[in-house]
Amino acid sequence: MSRRTGRRLRTLTAAGFLLMTAAGLAWHTGWGTPSSFGWREIAEVCPLGALEAMIADRTFIPRAFVGLLVFFAITVLLGRIFCGWVCPVPLIRRFTGGEDRHAAAEAPSPLPQGDSSSRKDERTSCEEAACGDASCASREALASQCRICGAAKAKTAGSEALPEKGPLLVLGGALASTAVFGFPVFCLICPVGLTFALMIGLWRLFEFNEPSWSLAFFAFFLILELFVLRRWCHQFCPLGALITLMARLNRTFRATVNPKVCVQSRGIDCRVCRDACPEGIDPKGGNSPALLARCTKCRACADACPTKAISFPAFERFLKRQGACELPKPVPVAELPADVRRRDFAEAAPRLSLKDAVKESERCLRCGECVAACPLGNPIPEMMALMSEGRAGEAGRLLLARGALPDICSRICPQERLCEKACSMGRAEGAVAIGAIERAAADAAMGRRGFRIGRRRAARRASFAVIGAGPAGLACAAAIHARGASVTVYEARSRSGGLLSHAVPAFKLDPALTARRETALLKSGIRFEFGRRVGTDVSPQELLEKFDALFIGTGAGRAVQASIPGADAAGVTDALSFLEANGHGEGGAALKGLPVAVLGGGDTAVDCARTAVRMGASEVTVLYRGPQAKLRASARDRRLAEEEGVRIRCLADPVRFEAEAGVLAGVTVRNPETGAEETLPARLAVVAFGERCVREAWLEAAGACYDEAGRLIAGADGRTGAERIWAGGD
């Protein structure tokens, strides 16, 4: 049973109890409305009411005592099942957004996982998490890592943080007040009784037009207990305390853990089940008898377990008979659907349906290892928590709100060597498909109408200029705009996206995605100035006078040229020029029947090779001078390329271009280990040796500095050596 199914069953059960009350009111049967018979008769169903009735009368009441015994027998058999499945208070909290959870369960993720103590130490304080990490410059990124630190602190709290004495003190006070006043005072403010009393009062108001000040009284105390006293169930409820005392004798319908399936048997320190439990109970053990007695049999731990190692055997047998206990199977990354041997330029990135993405997100341990591996520090555990509850739109908006580009990064980011490589589940049954889940969440958030960035009110209306509409520029523009500033983006080309638009093939990233993001930013109030290059079409001094600050996100837009003999032959080109001219299918079948060689071993080289295949090349070979183990291209893209017919040759160092009458005829390669040379036929050679930044004279004149590789030097906070100028991106 999935988490959503379990929650629905609990919701339906409690709702059914309320519907029984409504039915009793409609047909005047009294079903579910014992409080309508008078405070004495509530003793027939409420154990606390039974005790209070006998204390108030200072005598033995047989019916109250029998009711108490019946409830006691049910509790000994089923435990605190009333609190988990019948009590209407948690239902009201869920629908009003004030769900009561134990403190240990509120942390978005448990402890950082892994067997490396150094990695745990890295997140023992927010200061250490932020130190030297440019991605922590934004408040959101730091807050995300702070939440992980807070989760680590929750370990030491554990079950000791459970407020066991509070409800017992209230229970004692309720019974003492009954003895003093000769009346069950607590029944007047019990949220369970108030819920039914409010329903009865409203029914009488609409059916008989009998307004009463008691309605305001009921509503006031119910709101006070549910929203002002937000931890009522854990810190105050005397009824729950009394049921817990009875449940000390309960030994049945308890959670069972299969150690062979539990990821802890693989050395993974998983606490998902404990954090999912509203009472903070760890089904794997180590709980005090008092803590075990608080189990409400809600099955939240079993629903949340990523490997379905936890079960309630009696419940499972019943649900199986009802056909509601079909457990979801994990979706290993290797088995994600992929389109192979594509010949068109339609997007062919692997994807999951929204339903499968929700199911896959339930395997997440919320360990936070992926956050440390993500260059953006995205709040992946929080996103997974929302996805597992079926709240895909909220999960996507969580990522979008930070200025990130989840709709794009989920398609082209090499997750298998970043977040998915760090995933703790990789040591068990396969890493969680973080990229595919992120894509489903982002697409759900963007939707047909796109996404508009919310804005904060700023004390002063600051203005910023963003130079470069690539990924860094777009992310910065969104983040600054969200803080209430006015933003203008200057882009030398005719459209936004930078390398995303003109150097990433359409089969890898649909051009409509960058266009959609541009539209969303325009609707949010961000201005774009296309076709205007700073330093040529726009004066830098004019920008510094007009805006409070500048952000440089011009990226690495200069291709590295090959210093190989014969590189001037016709038919030798660089990767950026080749992809810009042909990456969206503009080249048609220009390479039909021609052999093509691509020099390089990164993602760009593989993109060029797959583009050449779609242009009809008879043979496409990627030449990489290093061993296969050092190939930088993602395993996913390499697999798709090979399925499409691309041949990848390692230990093939290009040493010379062979030309006939100035036209490329072949590429001579040398094996670095043996020294043997071989000439491969090629009518087109694409050099994919990487990209470099372009030095801007006006930036150097303003005080900015470049390193030997031509990269603009910026600190951890993005500041350059020039006043009021920041930089980021490649």
Side-chain angles (χ1 to χ4, degrees):
M1 179 163 39
S2 67
R3 299 180 194 185
R4 289 190 298 164
T5 302
R7 171 172 272 196
R8 287 195 191 109
L9 284 175
R10 294 190 292 273
T11 299
L12 289 173
T13 304
F17 194 37
L18 294 178
L19 288 175
M20 187 173 67
T21 302
L25 291 169
W27 290 297
H28 305 287
T29 63
W31 297 340
T33 59
S35 56
S36 65
F37 302 135
W39 62 267
R40 292 180 184 274
E41 303 302 325
I42 201 172
E44 294 183 4
V45 292
C46 177
L48 182 58
L51 285 176
E52 289 181 316
M54 288 189 285
I55 293 175
D57 279 359
R58 293 179 174 81
T59 184
F60 177 78
I61 303 176
R63 285 201 303 175
F65 182 71
V66 171
L68 184 62
L69 284 181
V70 171
F71 199 98
F72 176 74
I74 294 174
T75 304
V76 170
L77 176 65
L78 301 177
R80 281 186 63 196
I81 195 169
F82 172 82
C83 299
W85 291 84
V86 182
C87 181
V89 175
L91 174 66
I92 297 172
R93 286 185 178 278
R94 281 199 289 272
F95 278 100
T96 54
E99 187 168 6
D100 188 20
R101 298 290 300 273
H102 175 249
E106 289 181 344
S109 61
L111 280 173
Q113 308 296 319
D115 50 10
S116 171
S117 59
S118 62
R119 281 191 289 179
K120 292 182 180 180
D121 293 339
E122 286 176 0
R123 288 190 288 277
T124 54
S125 69
C126 301
E127 293 79 10
E128 292 177 16
C131 181
D133 187 354
S135 68
C136 295
S138 68
R139 293 180 182 270
E140 287 82 3
L142 182 56
S144 173
Q145 296 195 9
C146 287
R147 286 193 290 273
I148 295 175
C149 295
K153 294 174 184 177
K155 177 188 179 184
T156 57
S159 61
E160 289 77 15
L162 193 66
E164 294 182 31
K165 295 183 179 179
L168 291 174
L169 293 175
V170 177
L171 173 61
L175 297 178
S177 64
T178 301
V180 171
F181 296 103
F183 181 81
V185 180
F186 175 74
C187 289
L188 297 176
I189 59 171
C190 173
V192 180
L194 286 175
T195 300
F196 292 113
L198 187 61
M199 289 182 65
I200 295 168
L202 290 173
W203 182 268
R204 288 177 176 171
L205 174 64
F206 290 112
E207 185 179 20
F208 305 110
N209 195 23
E210 295 181 3
S212 171
W213 283 105
S214 61
L215 279 176
F217 173 84
F218 297 152
F220 171 77
F221 273 98
L222 191 60
I223 292 172
L224 175 69
E225 292 161 2
L226 296 184
F227 299 102
V228 179
L229 305 175
R230 296 184 65 86
R231 298 191 181 279
W232 172 269
C233 295
H234 298 291
Q235 295 181 353
F236 303 102
C237 181
L239 178 58
L242 179 59
I243 299 175
T244 301
L245 290 175
M246 296 179 176
R248 288 270 189 136
L249 299 177
N250 171 248
R251 296 293 184 272
T252 57
F253 292 92
R254 287 187 172 182
T256 301
V257 180
N258 185 345
K260 295 181 180 179
V261 181
C262 180
V263 295
Q264 231 177 17
S265 64
R266 298 170 175 84
I268 301 173
D269 190 14
C270 174
R271 288 183 171 83
V272 171
C273 52
R274 186 207 67 184
D275 291 344
C277 176
E279 306 296 336
I281 302 170
D282 190 344
K284 298 187 294 294
N287 306 292
S288 65
L291 187 58
L292 278 177
R294 293 188 65 90
C295 177
T296 63
K297 320 298 182 184
C298 66
R299 295 192 81 261
C301 56
D303 296 342
C305 179
T307 58
K308 304 305 174 187
I310 302 174
S311 63
F312 286 74
F315 281 114
E316 305 294 349
R317 286 193 292 271
F318 170 76
L319 293 171
K320 192 171 184 179
R321 286 197 298 270
Q322 305 303 314
C325 193
E326 184 177 347
L327 300 182
K329 296 180 180 179
V331 184
V333 177
E335 295 180 10
L336 294 179
D339 294 314
V340 298
R341 300 197 177 281
R342 296 293 295 265
R343 291 295 182 264
D344 57 35
F345 281 79
E347 188 179 81
R351 66 185 299 272
L352 286 176
S353 67
L354 185 58
K355 180 180 179 181
D356 287 338
V358 170
K359 188 183 298 184
E360 177 72 359
S361 67
E362 295 176 358
R363 301 177 56 233
C364 177
L365 301 181
R366 318 282 192 270
C367 64
E369 293 293 332
C370 49
V371 179
C374 176
L376 296 177
N378 278 331
I380 300 173
E382 293 92 326
M383 182 267 292
M384 291 289 185
L386 291 171
M387 281 294 291
S388 66
E389 296 177 3
R391 298 153 66 183
E394 292 181 55
R397 287 190 289 273
L398 175 67
L399 299 176
L400 289 163
R402 302 178 63 253
L405 287 70
D407 50 327
I408 294 172
C409 293
S410 60
R411 288 165 165 85
I412 63 175
C413 183
Q415 293 97 358
E416 70 275 1
R417 65 171 180 253
L418 295 172
C419 56
E420 291 178 6
K421 182 179 180 180
C423 178
S424 296
M425 285 296 286
R427 305 201 304 274
E429 57 183 27
V432 176
I434 299 173
I437 296 171
E438 182 180 352
R439 173 179 174 176
D443 289 348
M446 297 293 282
R448 294 181 179 179
R449 293 181 296 176
F451 175 73
R452 182 169 295 186
I453 302 168
R455 303 191 71 183
R456 304 176 190 169
R457 286 192 176 184
R460 186 176 72 88
R461 180 78 170 184
S463 60
F464 286 78
V466 174
I467 302 173
L474 295 178
C476 178
I480 295 175
H481 176 80
R483 286 162 175 75
S486 63
V487 183
T488 302
V489 181
Y490 290 87
E491 170 57 45
R493 295 179 178 271
S494 59
R495 57 183 177 180
S496 66
L499 291 180
L500 297 176
S501 295
H502 64 266
V504 178
F507 56 80
K508 194 171 182 180
L509 180 67
D510 189 342
L513 293 174
T514 52
R516 182 176 68 177
R517 176 163 286 274
E518 180 184 314
T519 301
L521 296 181
L522 284 169
K523 287 182 178 179
S524 299
I526 296 174
R527 294 183 59 227
F528 283 86
E529 296 281 349
F530 292 114
R532 305 192 67 186
R533 182 182 294 276
V534 177
T536 303
D537 305 310
V538 183
S539 166
Q541 189 60 36
E542 177 186 340
L543 295 182
L544 288 170
E545 293 175 357
K546 182 179 179 180
F547 296 98
D548 295 306
L550 308 183
F551 176 83
I552 311 300
T554 50
R558 179 172 61 86
V560 176
Q561 302 298 320
S563 56
I564 300 174
D568 56 348
V572 179
T573 185
D574 64 81
L576 292 184
S577 300
F578 176 73
L579 290 174
E580 185 171 6
N582 307 291
H584 293 174
E586 294 89 341
L591 298 178
K592 186 174 182 179
L594 300 179
V596 175
V598 180
L599 285 59
D603 288 327
T604 302
V606 175
D607 290 347
C608 292
R610 296 179 67 192
T611 300
V613 168
R614 285 161 172 75
M615 294 175 66
S618 60
E619 182 181 356
V620 180
T621 306
V622 174
L623 304 175
Y624 177 56
R625 63 183 178 181
Q628 185 175 359
K630 292 188 177 181
L631 270 170
R632 300 188 310 279
S634 70
R636 180 183 65 191
D637 284 355
R638 295 204 313 264
R639 173 175 59 84
L640 291 174
E642 289 173 344
E643 290 173 347
E644 292 170 357
V646 175
R647 182 186 178 196
I648 300 178
R649 287 195 56 176
C650 298
L651 297 177
D653 186 12
V655 295
R656 187 169 56 256
F657 292 111
E658 308 293 345
E660 295 177 357
V663 178
L664 180 70
V667 180
T668 299
V669 297
R670 177 186 296 127
N671 187 316
E673 295 182 352
T674 65
E677 291 190 358
E678 178 185 359
T679 300
L680 304 174
R683 299 301 299 274
L684 174 70
V686 182
V687 179
F689 288 166
E691 299 80 36
R692 294 289 183 270
C693 298
V694 178
R695 287 176 176 265
E696 297 286 352
W698 70 269
L699 276 174
E700 292 185 287
C705 300
Y706 287 84
D707 63 12
E708 295 180 355
R711 294 172 297 191
L712 186 61
I713 298 175
D717 60 354
R719 290 179 180 271
T720 66
E723 185 180 359
R724 295 189 293 125
I725 297 179
W726 279 257
D730 281 344

